[in-house]
Structure formats: structure tokens, C-alpha cells
Amino acid sequence: MDALATDAEMLSAALLAIEDERSWDAEAELARSIEIEQAALALGDGLLVARAQLCQANMRLRSGDVSGAAAQIWRVHQWAVSHDARLLLARTHLVWSNIHQHLSDAEQALEHAVLAVELLDEDSTTHMHIWHRTKLADALWAAGSMDAARIRYRQAEQLAVESGSPALLCLLNNYAFTEFDTGHQERAEEVADRLQRLAAERGELLEPAYLDTIGWIQIGNERFEAAETTMQECIERHAEGRYDAADGLAMYLLTLARAQRGLAAYERAQATLDESRALCHERDLGDLLVRVHEEQAELHAARGEFAEAFAAHKVFFSAYQARHSVQREARTRTRQAMFETAEARQEAERFREQARRDPLTGLHNRRYVDERLPGLIESDPALTVALVDLDHFKQVNDQLSHNVGDQVLVLVADLLAREIAMACPDGFVARMGGEEFLIVLPDTTIPRAAGLLDSIRRVIRGHDWKPITRGLPVTVSIGVAAAAEAPATTQPSLLSTADSRLYAAKHAGRDRVVSAADQHGDLHAYAA
């Protein structure tokens, strides 16, 4: 990377600029976020890598690659969940909400937008607090809840005014448009007037897209002359070259044509509409071309050319149907990509879970213990563990068969798991190998653990084993150790203490529980 520093702090700042600042060049930002990801990988910084990947998903979405964005965001979400990266998770849900908006899935879009706001905290940037509420308002509007949307827009507006955020004008633009779209023309004009006033007070020029919204509202309120002036200013602003949107100019010309039709300036309107149509063909703007056909029909009708209006309407309807079919297919492809990604993720989770399970008993295995136990030892001073070993298990294998031995192991595992699930729901049982099991009891003191474990010992001893072992008894010896009493707060130290007490239980005659040493150095034991 040439100009991009590889220092983690500099990379984080570069990502924040992409995350919190509005850019018109999605392709450039996509390329930049890919470069940042490569630098973050070289540094071994997983959070920076995930943030860069989320920026890529967002830029793919803005470039129209909805399926690409949907496929990429799964990995980011999985990383954020597994690493408890709250801010990254909040941003992930916001992008996911936008993906579902593109898929016309208002319900899912709203669900993700709600989560994007709920995950905000004091570590969230000011922009996040403003923009996440704005997008929640957008999602509420799309779901048909304009009253609820209005509350969120006002919250975001207050935060933006207080902080001087550059997002203020954009959120007011969205607010004005949604009021207009839901038929509240007066409210829409009030918000549009506020947008213009605040822009003037800040000394900022309104972007062409904002002027287009204002033009639409003026047309809706039959202020056609003002709308024509607004749209002429909009097109001049676009010509400055600062705002690069492929469909921008064609869209603004279409709005101008509508204003000119309202003024009965039909020749100007036709010339403007022809210019918009030419741009649609030149830039392959299929969605916008459908609206151009519709406006052409309206323009013919306004001039009293009803035969031409009917013919233009037929062209519009045919184009609308074709475009709707294309959009439906695109949404289907995106949903398929999302499904395949989710399916692959679930398959990976299934394999991961299988790798941490003992194939015979279905209990957790040593790998799971090695991943889970160190964290519990570090965080839970009241943690207690116990090693459980079947007594004289070799006799079962030798006198009966290994198949019978397996049946005994499976049944003992079921009894252990059932008893622990009832007595300590946060605990778990693992098979450590052979006939040895580990019981982990979070937030359980030695006295309580010893009583519980002796109850389990008695359950195993009292079970009817005759149908399986033909009279051979099945009992267990148990050695108990607490995190608080281990020589060191490490997994090897704790398991070594439990193992020494298991040995003491075996040496004392088996079928018993041996726990903490008392003040004389003796061991407390429960025996048959």
C-alpha cells in the first residue's frame, strides 16, 4: 500500500472516515476498504479486518451489488457476535437493514434497524447515534408507521443540531420526503423549509438530491413555478461535478419536466423529458426509464393527445411489467445468495459443534473443555469441578464385551447430563476419555457441590443395571476441586487437584466422593 499507513491507529481512523462520512464515490471507497483489510490482515488485527469487510459490504450495496453485500455481511456478523464487538454489530445490523430495504422486505429491514439502535451505547460515535435513528425512522416509514418514524426523525434532528453534525441536512431530506410520500404535504413543506433555512444558516449548499426532494414537494403542493426554479438550480448544482450519481441528472430532468407540465409549458417539458430519456438509454437506467414512459403518457394527456397518451401508457405498462420481473429475479438471486451463505454458516457451525462432542456419548469432549474451562476459572471464583471415573470398568469389558461397555458409558453419560441439567443448568458434563468424565459446576461452592455429586453417585449406584451388565455393579468414584483452593488459577492445576482426590477416592475403597482437605489434612468423603 502506497499512501496508506499500516499503523493500527491510522487504519482505524481511515475506516472511521468511511464509516461515518458520506462519500459519493462508492467504487473508490470499496477499493480503499479492500486495501485497509489487507493492511489489517498483515497486522493480525481481527477487528480492523471485520470493520473493513463491513465497509466493503456497504459499498457493494451502494454500487448495486446487493447479493455481494448480503454474502459478505454474514462473515462480519459472525465475527462480531463471537467477539462481542458491540459497535461493529450495531453497524452490521444497519447495513443489513438497508439490504432488506433493497429486497422490499420492510419487516426484516425494521427488525435490523431496531437492533442497530438498541446496540448503541456511550462508546458509539455521534454520527452513529444520529444516523442509526434516521435509518430506523426510514424503516418505520417503509413499514407504514409514519407516526413512529416522525419521533425518530425528531430525535435524530435534535442530536444533529446540538452536535453540528453534517448528517443534519441528509436526515431532514429523508424526513421531508417521507412526509410527502405519506400524503402530509404541509408537514413535508415545513421540513423542507427547515432544511433550506438550516443550510443557509450553516453556509452550506444543498446537494442536488435534496433540491430534487424540495422540487417534488413543491410540485405536490402545485407550486410549479417555484419547482421549476428549484430544479434548474438542482441541475446547475449537479453540473459542478461534485455529486457523482449515475441516475442523478436523468432523475432531476424528469422532475423538472413534471414541474414544466404543471406550468402548461408543454414544449419545454417535452424537450426536458426527451433529454432525460436519452440519458436513461445511454446509461441503462431501466427503473428510471419506466418513470419517463409514465410521464410521457401524462404529458400527452395534458396536451389533449389522448391517443398518443394511451399508446405511451401501453409502453409504460409493458416496461413496468418487464422491469418488475427483472427486479423480482434480482431479489430472488439475492435471497438465494443469502440462503446459501446462511446454510454454509449453519453447516460450519454444525461441524464446529460436532468437533466438540464425543461421538459415543454425545457429551462435550476435551477440546470443548480446553476452550471453555480457562475462561470460567478466570472469571468465577466459586467454580467447582469434579472428575468422575467408573469403578472396575475393565471387568465389564473383559467379562461381558466392549459393546456392553459402550452401553454402560452411554447410560452413565445420560444420567450425569440429566442430573447436572436439573441441579446446575449453567454447568456441563464432558467425556475426557475412556471411562473418565468431567463435571463443571459454575458458581457452586464445595459443600453444595459435594452434596450434589454424592447424590449423582447414588443415582448411578442405584440404577437397575441388570438388563445390561447381568448383575455386575456399576459405581463411580469422584474427586472434587474448587477454583479457590487450587495451587494456581489454571486448568492444569485445577484438574490435577481433582485427579489427586479421585485417586484418594479409589484408594479409600471406590464408590465415594472426595472433596476439599480439612484443617488436619484429611479429606472429606461421602461413601456408600
Side-chain angles (χ1 to χ4, degrees):
M1 297 176 60
D2 300 330
L4 192 61
T6 55
D7 176 75
E9 189 173 332
M10 296 294 290
L11 291 176
S12 181
L15 283 170
L16 187 62
I18 299 173
E19 291 164 339
D20 279 8
E21 295 178 15
R22 194 151 172 261
S23 169
W24 282 92
D25 195 341
E27 290 186 4
E29 297 291 23
L30 174 60
R32 183 168 175 77
S33 58
I34 291 173
E35 288 184 354
I36 294 174
E37 180 190 4
Q38 295 305 311
L41 284 168
L43 289 176
D45 193 316
L47 178 58
L48 290 177
V49 170
R51 286 174 61 191
Q53 290 175 344
L54 181 60
C55 287
Q56 292 166 38
N58 193 26
M59 294 307 148
R60 292 185 199 282
L61 178 62
R62 287 180 51 190
S63 301
D65 183 9
V66 185
S67 60
Q72 190 166 28
I73 201 170
W74 278 107
R75 296 192 298 273
V76 181
H77 180 264
Q78 187 175 10
W79 191 95
V81 170
S82 62
H83 291 80
D84 195 25
R86 187 182 180 94
L87 295 191
L88 179 63
L89 200 56
R91 292 187 189 274
T92 300
H93 282 295
L94 190 69
V95 177
W96 229 331
S97 176
N98 291 335
I99 288 173
H100 284 289
Q101 289 283 22
H102 278 269
L103 296 174
S104 301
D105 189 342
E107 183 178 350
Q108 284 293 311
L110 179 57
E111 182 177 332
H112 284 289
V114 168
L115 289 170
V117 171
E118 287 180 345
L119 286 164
L120 297 175
D121 58 21
E122 64 275 5
D123 294 326
S124 305
T125 66
T126 301
H127 176 81
M128 290 177 72
H129 281 285
I130 295 167
W131 196 242
H132 286 219
R133 284 173 171 81
T134 300
K135 298 311 290 181
L136 173 55
D138 290 349
L140 286 164
W141 156 73
S145 301
M146 190 60 207
D147 288 340
R150 201 171 285 122
I151 295 170
R152 297 300 182 175
Y153 281 129
R154 288 169 180 166
Q155 289 176 351
E157 181 180 353
Q158 182 178 353
L159 288 170
V161 169
E162 291 172 353
S163 64
S165 170
L168 174 62
L169 302 185
C170 188
L171 80 86
L172 285 174
N173 174 74
N174 291 16
Y175 188 5
F177 175 80
T178 54
E179 290 285 19
F180 173 76
D181 183 75
T182 50
H184 301 101
Q185 275 83 0
E186 289 185 10
R187 282 178 171 166
E189 188 129 21
E190 288 173 7
V191 179
D193 288 344
R194 197 156 67 248
L195 168 61
Q196 292 171 288
R197 177 175 55 79
L198 288 169
E201 290 176 1
R202 291 175 165 217
E204 296 182 34
L205 295 175
L206 289 172
E207 295 179 10
Y210 306 164
L211 290 168
D212 185 60
T213 297
I214 294 169
W216 267 84
I217 293 169
Q218 290 168 336
I219 291 170
N221 290 332
E222 299 187 355
R223 295 176 54 212
F224 301 116
E225 188 173 350
E228 183 179 36
T229 301
T230 297
M231 293 314 301
Q232 287 169 343
E233 181 185 354
C234 168
I235 292 167
E236 290 171 4
R237 189 74 42 82
H238 180 272
E240 295 172 4
R242 295 171 53 201
Y243 311 98
D244 184 20
D247 63 348
L249 182 56
M251 182 168 59
Y252 307 147
L253 287 166
L254 175 59
T255 307
L256 175 58
R258 293 182 70 243
Q260 291 167 337
R261 172 169 59 84
L263 288 169
Y266 300 134
E267 294 304 319
R268 293 207 307 273
Q270 187 62 64
T272 303
L273 192 61
D274 289 343
E275 191 176 351
S276 177
R277 182 186 292 106
L279 283 171
C280 288
H281 285 299
E282 178 187 325
R283 300 181 181 182
D284 193 25
L285 306 176
D287 291 338
L288 194 58
L289 184 60
V290 172
R291 292 168 54 191
V292 169
H293 291 317
E294 182 180 28
E295 177 57 27
Q296 183 64 75
E298 295 285 353
L299 185 55
H300 279 308
R303 289 188 294 208
E305 300 164 353
F306 299 114
E308 291 84 348
F310 179 70
H313 185 78
K314 287 174 63 179
V315 172
F316 155 69
F317 185 74
S318 176
Y320 173 82
Q321 291 286 84
R323 201 63 195 170
H324 183 68
S325 177
V326 168
Q327 290 171 341
R328 187 171 58 249
E329 290 174 5
R331 286 195 293 268
T332 299
R333 286 194 300 271
T334 301
R335 290 184 186 280
Q336 180 64 20
M338 292 176 69
F339 173 76
E340 289 173 353
T341 305
E343 194 175 48
R345 181 178 60 86
Q346 291 166 358
E347 189 72 9
E349 285 293 327
R350 193 156 49 244
F351 286 139
R352 183 181 184 279
E353 178 66 13
Q354 288 174 355
R356 285 152 183 79
R357 291 281 179 180
D358 173 56
L360 176 64
T361 63
L363 295 177
H364 293 298
N365 60 15
R366 184 180 289 273
R367 174 183 286 186
Y368 178 86
V369 171
D370 291 342
E371 291 179 356
R372 180 88 188 278
L373 188 54
L376 290 173
I377 293 171
E378 184 178 340
S379 63
D380 184 1
L383 176 72
T384 297
V385 302
L387 283 173
V388 181
D389 192 84
L390 271 70
D391 298 325
H392 301 300
F393 184 66
K394 189 173 184 298
Q395 293 181 9
V396 176
N397 282 332
D398 291 348
Q399 296 183 28
L400 300 174
S401 70
H402 286 279
N403 180 53
V404 172
D406 286 349
Q407 292 180 52
V408 170
L409 288 172
V410 169
L411 187 48
V412 168
D414 288 345
L415 292 171
L416 291 173
R418 185 188 67 195
E419 294 298 316
I420 293 302
M422 290 189 297
C424 184
D426 293 332
F428 66 88
V429 183
R431 185 184 178 200
M432 301 297 281
E435 64 268 29
E436 187 174 82
F437 300 87
L438 175 70
I439 296 176
V440 177
L441 302 170
D443 195 26
T444 306
T445 60
I446 278 281
R448 178 171 176 267
L452 165 63
L453 293 164
D454 190 62
S455 174
I456 292 174
R457 178 191 64 80
R458 285 185 276 110
V459 166
I460 293 173
R461 187 175 188 271
H463 185 77
D464 182 10
W465 293 100
K466 289 181 182 178
I468 299 176
T469 64
R470 303 174 194 170
L472 276 179
V474 176
T475 62
V476 294
S477 298
I478 303 176
V480 190
E485 62 174 359
T489 54
T490 64
Q491 178 175 320
S493 176
L494 184 61
L495 294 183
S496 176
T497 301
D499 190 56
S500 66
R501 289 174 185 168
L502 174 61
Y503 176 80
K506 295 282 190 182
H507 187 71
R510 295 181 171 83
D511 191 19
R512 66 195 61 228
V513 178
V514 173
S515 60
D518 66 16
Q519 59 184 350
H520 304 296
D522 299 324
L523 294 174
H524 296 300
Y526 293 82

